[in-house]
Amino acid sequence: MDPTIALFLAQDGVTNGAIYALLALSLVLVFTITRVIFIPQGEFVAYGALTLAAFETGTFPGTAWLALILGTAAFTVDLARDRAARTPRRALRGLALDVLLPLALLAAAWHAAPRHLGPLVEVPLTLAIVAVLGPYIYRLVFRPLAESPVLVLLIAAVGVHLALVGLGLLFFGAEGHRTAPLLDANWTVGPALVTGQSVVVMGVTGGLILALWGFFGHTLTGKALRATAVNRLGARLVGIPTSAAGAMALGLAALLGALSGVLIAPVTTVFYDTGFVTGLKGFVAAIIGGLISYPLGAAAAILVGLVEAFASFFASTFKEVIVFTIIIPVLLWRSLRSPHAEDEE
Amino acid sequence: MPDPRSPARRGLRGALLAAAAAAMLLPGAALADITVGLIVPATGSTAALGIPARNAAALFPETLGGERVRLIVADDASDPTMATTQARRLITEEKADVIIGSVMTGAAIAVAGVTRESAVPHIALAPIDLPAGQDTWTFRMPQNVTLMARAVVDHMKANGVKTVGFIGFSDAWGDFWARDVKALAGDAGYRLVAEERYARADTSVTGQVLKLLAARPDAVIVGASGTAAALPHITLRERGYKGPIYQTHGAVTHDFIRIGGAAVEGAILASGPVIVAEQLPDDSPVRAKALEFVTAYEGKYGANTRNQFAAHTVDAATVLEQAVPIALKTARPGTPEFRKALRDALETAGEIPASQGVYAFSANDHFGLDHRGYVLLTVEKGAWKLVK
């Protein structure tokens, strides 16, 4: 191996790592706020990529229907279960956010699908359609289980994952898709070829990490989310609506997932079930960060990307094995270093 | 308004009851029909291959040898365990006379095991290799990998390729190809200088491609299938590889070209003839059947949807159309004697022209295809072209 190849591999690793970082951040975000180990995170990646691909090929994405159905279901469940939701003001607000919003997205998608309006319209529309799925899924699946043990939440997450993969097959078919690059330019820096897409990936990830840092450190909503993560009961006592916090966490996670999908769709072929393995790699990074640390998780994601790139060069047959094996020394080190704490059960 | 208890009314009720009773008895009468079990991966990791095969069920004939066909489609979810369960269910509960499937290699091997022990004829839609003596009941529709590898290797030999790089799936498909590319190296006078693997869902193959490039092969073979076969191809071209790139018949779909775009121009592979039905010479023995399949399938599912997996399913029906009348001479459907007779008939039916080649099964050869079962293709201006 010469330095040029090492440079290529490092570049590839960092680009993939940036995507894993977005996923790791989402997983940490969801876990700290809702205690859900969010297995379906990868499905948002696939949904994001495939919804955009559907717009590019001029077909109507099924995800828009899913948003409307889940939104209406969440609204109906709220009305049936919660008396407070039946007051005119709350009901109107629910109607607007849960039924009219996805209906508007559906109409926009219907309008945009055959017209090829370009990424400036299609990307935001894709992000919106996938992002609204997060809060609806939280309200339908995880809010009724909010006080359950982590294991129950994990099993519910696996159920959501299986359902979303099946729906993905139904919406997008079994064949893979690719989208046009967002920035179709290449630069030669020394011996390395820098693609416009990798610059977009790293720029967006970097920007998002800064934005999240600003959001959690300097806004009231962000601080309320953090408070919920630290102590759910305490947060409720001081008047933070913890269920809204959960919905917001999943909304952010879905948005980040869809964004990752939009970013990887031009560089790789995305299948309806691609998200799972990609999500698992983000999960490895999140675990290395102990599922609580954003900077550690992001750094670990870059490490996972690099290990993957070099492993695929030296021993491609064992690439996945090597990537997922990283988790073992990390777990060993963590369990030796920190005293063993009983799970809440 | 008639009285509800009038004799006319009671007569009607009696007639309805009789009809209902007759309807309930019908499944019993249907036992004499030929029951065909079709097992395909309609969901899961190989759904891309299984869905077309399931779609082809709509083109299955209503009768075989004058007997009505009862076709039962089962989903194995790309899981060999599930395929085993489905095969057992079809045989014990539905009394299947013949099992077709699965499209996925691992699942097809699992089905072959069940049909062998239950003595039911099995037509696999994957080119599975079975240990000697274990394929007594199993016939295959797709081309043997070795047959196709030989076709590709002959082309490389004719073009003076001396060093070959291989990148393939890390699954049975990749293994079959890696094995044959290695085994044929001596004959064809090339050396395998790099062997790399990747997974269908991988988002990047840069590492593997750099390793291939470092070995400077004259040609590269991509042992993958479906749209995922395009990723190494695109990456190789992006990194400036100029040599010929060979694909396998797993990649022959229009989706492959849709995903690969300009990068896959010039890809060379051996495939079943159905994909270029219109370009086949008039004297080709498969042209008529191939065109018939393309017209029927694309008429139902749209232009450019033709694919080998649906073709193999339809070919299985073509083969059965020849074998079933022979078997019917000795036994009635639904009996063990009929299954035995059908198995024997498949071996002795002689040459059967179908859309993907001319099948001639014999006691020693349960693949049944020869050189008429493949053509060399290349991608030219975004479409599959026959290499003359």
Side-chain angles (χ1 to χ4, degrees), chain A residues 12 175-176 272-273 313 316 319, chain B residues 44 196-197 200 202 204 227:
Chain A
D12 186 54
E175 282 296 355
Y272 74 98
D273 59 352
F313 182 83
S316 59
K319 188 194 78 176
Chain B
E196 295 298 315
R197 294 303 178 91
R200 189 181 64 100
D202 276 0
S204 163
T227 38

Side-chain angles (χ1 to χ4, degrees), chain A residues 237-260:
Chain A
L237 287 175
V238 297
I240 296 169
T242 52
S243 131
M248 186 175 283
L250 252 74
L252 266 176
L255 179 66
L256 291 178
L259 196 59
S260 318

Side-chain angles (χ1 to χ4, degrees), chain A residues 5 8-9 12 16 20 169 174-178 267-269 271-274 309 312-314 316-317 319-320, chain B residues 42-45 47-48 51 196-197 200-204 206-208 210-211 227-228 231 234 239 255 258-259:
Chain A
I5 289 182
F8 280 144
L9 289 175
D12 186 54
N16 279 324
Y20 301 150
L169 177 60
E175 282 296 355
H177 294 269
R178 249 171 200 263
V267 286
T268 187
T269 315
F271 295 84
Y272 74 98
D273 59 352
T274 299
S312 66
F313 182 83
F314 286 111
S316 59
T317 323
K319 188 194 78 176
E320 309 288 18
Chain B
T43 55
S45 59
I51 290 174
E196 295 298 315
R197 294 303 178 91
R200 189 181 64 100
D202 276 0
T203 49
S204 163
T206 307
Q208 292 94 321
L210 289 174
K211 188 111 177 245
T227 38
L231 182 62
I234 296 168
R239 297 284 165 186
D255 286 318
R258 170 175 63 80
I259 292 288

Side-chain angles (χ1 to χ4, degrees), chain A residues 21-105:
Chain A
L22 283 183
L23 295 173
L25 291 182
S26 321
L27 287 167
V28 172
L29 174 76
V30 173
F31 181 75
T32 49
I33 293 171
T34 65
R35 297 177 307 129
V36 177
I37 296 169
F38 199 56
I39 309 288
Q41 181 60 28
E43 268 57 71
F44 291 135
V45 179
Y47 276 24
L50 294 172
T51 303
L52 183 63
F55 280 130
E56 279 196 1
T57 52
T59 47
F60 177 77
T63 32
W65 280 117
L66 184 66
L68 180 63
I69 293 169
L70 289 184
T72 315
F75 177 62
T76 322
V77 167
D78 268 8
L79 281 188
R81 197 167 44 197
D82 187 0
R83 189 171 301 193
R86 274 174 254 165
T87 57
R89 213 174 124 248
R90 286 273 305 272
L92 269 180
R93 190 165 161 263
L95 189 70
L97 282 180
D98 300 342
V99 183
L100 297 181
L101 172 67
L103 198 62
L105 289 173

Side-chain angles (χ1 to χ4, degrees), chain B residues 7-65:
Chain B
R9 189 73 183 212
R10 255 183 284 154
L12 178 65
R13 189 194 261 185
L16 280 175
L17 272 177
M24 278 158 78
L25 285 174
L26 263 181
L31 275 182
D33 294 349
I34 296 178
T35 307
V36 179
L38 176 62
I39 303 176
V40 293
T43 55
S45 59
T46 39
L49 324 184
I51 290 174
R54 185 197 58 192
N55 288 345
L59 307 181
F60 216 83
E62 307 242 313
T63 59
L64 285 172

Side-chain angles (χ1 to χ4, degrees), chain B residues 17 74 97 158 175 183 211 231 243 248 256 322 345-346:
Chain B
L17 272 177
D97 291 303
D175 288 344
K211 188 111 177 245
L231 182 62
T248 71
F256 171 76
Q322 299 298 318
L346 281 168

